[in-house]
Amino acid sequence: MDSTSTYDDSVSALGDPVHLGDGAAWRSGAPRALATEAVHAGRDDLARQGLHAPPIDLSTTYPSYDSRAEAARIDAFATDGADPAGPPVYGRLGNPTVARFETALARLEGTESAVAFASGMAALSAVLLARTAAGLRHVVAVRPLYGCSDHLLTAGLLGTEVTWTDPAGITDALRPDTGLVLVESPANPTLAELDLRAVAHACGTVPLLADNTFATPVLQRPAEHGARLVLHSATKYLGGHGDVLAGVVACDEEFAGHLRKIRFATGGVLHPLAGYLLLRGLSTLPVRVRAASATAAELARRLAADPRVSRVRYPRLGGAMIAFEVLGDPHEVVSRVGLVTPAVSLGSVDTLIQHPASISHRIVDADDRRGAGVSDRLLRLSVGLEDVEDLWSDLDRALGEVR
């Protein structure tokens, strides 16, 4: 068997704590480690209010007896999209609970701001609409991307035009009306990794959007490498428990203003309860990612040595995702798992497996899909927090007999 693997047992991302830079100081002035920031960001004011858990504000509207002042605040929002100063106005403009999550995620990603949406696709759609509204409808993108992201670009549903290229061709693909370069690293579902700093350099003045869903800020902070926009399907690791649907874009405040105006106009707002669950999810994000990554690295090692597996892809960055190709029928493997859940999505506390060519990337043209490395025998495993031996026992049984 010719088994290839990108498995690397020296995953530095699981080592020393990351300390946050400018502005990441607590009352003593000392910088806070990412694990500390994950627990406290968005909650720093609670103790002074006599609270421990963040409150959930379910209001859709808020009373105001000064309509002149409200008019001035609405005018100010329409100008630059900044959060209105003072008390909330209306749920589509913003929500205090959601704002806590946005503050925390921006701190973890090292950006000025973050804007949350009802789903990851709503977040990406808002970015594309913001660029189109500025007269910049052309997008340069690198495959593979999440299947629905690929479809949104290819179908031109939001008035965009896409040029697909490899990383080396980004600069040549840029046009005067290029408004965005879009990449994923590690990519869904092949886990291909890009040199984000080199990609950002190739973009020149065109904003780079890096989908950081798989890595999370625990393993990678794209803004530090030159990405202006960092996208998350917050449904995945940020929520972490498979019970919330959300998306978020971390970015500078100028771009955040554009996104808030798009969100207000289109209504793709995040529900306050989802904002609360996401803020709670962030507090355990570093612990969950590191624990699941350690298990994933061991499973990747075993799969790479297994004669029933032809190829294993595991990022050098680390993480809890594994992509592997089997010699047998991948549909049979999915049908035989017991402990592992056969389902789409990823990043939950339980382990999930799916066949991308049948589900998450089915909507992508078959030739484009295969050209991006998404073969018909590829399976994607999102490793959870179960014991590694229990997971291996289940996978070993599901892989079937050695042929």
Side-chain angles (χ1 to χ4, degrees), residues 10 20 33 36 55 60 68 71 107 114 120 136 141 154 166 171 194 200 214 222 241 247 275 367 369 376 398:
S10 58
L20 304 181
T36 303
T60 58
R68 292 185 181 88
R107 287 295 316 119
L136 302 168
T154 302
D166 57 29
T171 300
L194 301 177
F214 277 23
H241 294 75
D367 289 339
R369 188 171 65 230
D376 291 341

Side-chain angles (χ1 to χ4, degrees), residues 97-117:
T97 307
V98 172
R100 289 183 180 277
F101 163 66
E102 292 172 330
T103 296
L105 194 276
R107 287 295 316 119
L108 294 182
E109 282 291 3
T111 59
E112 290 179 330
S113 302
V115 184
F117 294 86

Side-chain angles (χ1 to χ4, degrees), residues 89-157:
V89 179
Y90 182 59
R92 192 152 44 84
L93 264 169
N95 172 272
T97 307
V98 172
R100 289 183 180 277
F101 163 66
E102 292 172 330
T103 296
L105 194 276
R107 287 295 316 119
L108 294 182
E109 282 291 3
T111 59
E112 290 179 330
S113 302
V115 184
F117 294 86
S119 70
M121 290 308 301
L124 176 57
S125 296
V127 173
L128 296 175
L129 288 171
R131 301 313 281 161
T132 301
L136 302 168
R137 61 186 297 268
H138 180 240
V139 178
V140 174
V142 177
R143 282 189 171 117
L145 299 176
Y146 168 53
C148 287
S149 298
D150 189 310
H151 174 66
L152 183 64
L153 293 175
T154 302
L157 295 175

Side-chain angles (χ1 to χ4, degrees), residues 384-400:
L385 301 181
E386 302 94 337
D387 183 84
V388 64
E389 297 301 335
D390 290 331
L391 289 173
W392 178 248
S393 177
D394 194 42
L395 289 173
D396 182 41
R397 181 171 55 254
L399 286 168

